[in-house]
Amino acid sequence: MAALSPTASFYVRNHFQIPLPDPAVWRLRVGGMVGRPLDLSLRDLTNMPSQSCAVTLECAGNGRSQLNPKVKGEQWNFGAVSTAEWTGVPLAEVLDRAGAKPGAVEVLFRGLDSGMVDGVNEPIPFERSLRVDDARRGGVLLAYAMNGEPLPVQHGFPLRVIVPDWYAVASVKWLAEIEVLGEPFQGHYQTDTYFFEWRRNG
């Protein structure tokens, strides 16, 4: 197992102000193309079957300060990568309980953090999606604990997604909603930023 980073030393990155949810009233809502919409409390989730696994998260902008020409964003050197042991409910368990309908294409994760971005006239939440097959495999967790302790607020309390083998932008923090979609998600942090470009045919 990889060496774990102490929680106090784990890098922190977010686009908007850190929300401060009240765990007594917070809920995870699961809807969209599902047969059984869910409204889950933190206690509901902690009573479900859980898993713990060590996962390394790396900011997609790690090393951005070295790019030429410069690009906008946090000018990291090479410190935006850390490893922790995450504990939570397998995402597949929650999707099975909700019952994704035939024709479902993607699973959207929406956080409580929101704010303004260039070109948009109203605040937007931070949200990202995965294809259904990616969401159901690879040990994706809905994590409520980090290194054996409740998830700290700067790392997504009370719940965040942990997506192994993906840049950490996929591991949405302060998770409030999961929506099963029948078409690809076109949100700002899915299609306007955080994508690869490469040349084809010259």
Side-chain angles (χ1 to χ4, degrees), residues 132-192:
V132 169
D133 56 348
D134 290 323
R136 296 189 65 88
R137 69 184 179 207
V140 180
L141 280 183
L142 303 179
Y144 47 73
M146 176 183 184
N147 290 336
E149 300 289 340
L151 199 61
V153 67
Q154 66 268 33
H155 294 296
F157 175 84
L159 193 74
R160 73 174 296 174
V161 188
I162 295 294
V163 186
D165 303 320
W166 286 62
Y167 277 119
V169 65
S171 294
V172 174
K173 295 186 281 190
W174 308 294
L175 186 64
E177 295 181 61
I178 295 175
E179 185 177 355
V180 180
L181 305 175
E183 57 187 26
F185 176 59
Q186 300 294 316
H188 175 76
Y189 288 105
Q190 191 80 19
T191 58
D192 297 337

Side-chain angles (χ1 to χ4, degrees), residues 33 99-104:
M33 292 186 64
K101 294 182 177 179

Side-chain angles (χ1 to χ4, degrees), residues 74-90:
E74 188 74 27
Q75 296 300 306
W76 294 107
N77 285 317
F78 295 103
V81 56
S82 306
T83 303
E85 182 184 61
W86 308 94
T87 301
V89 180

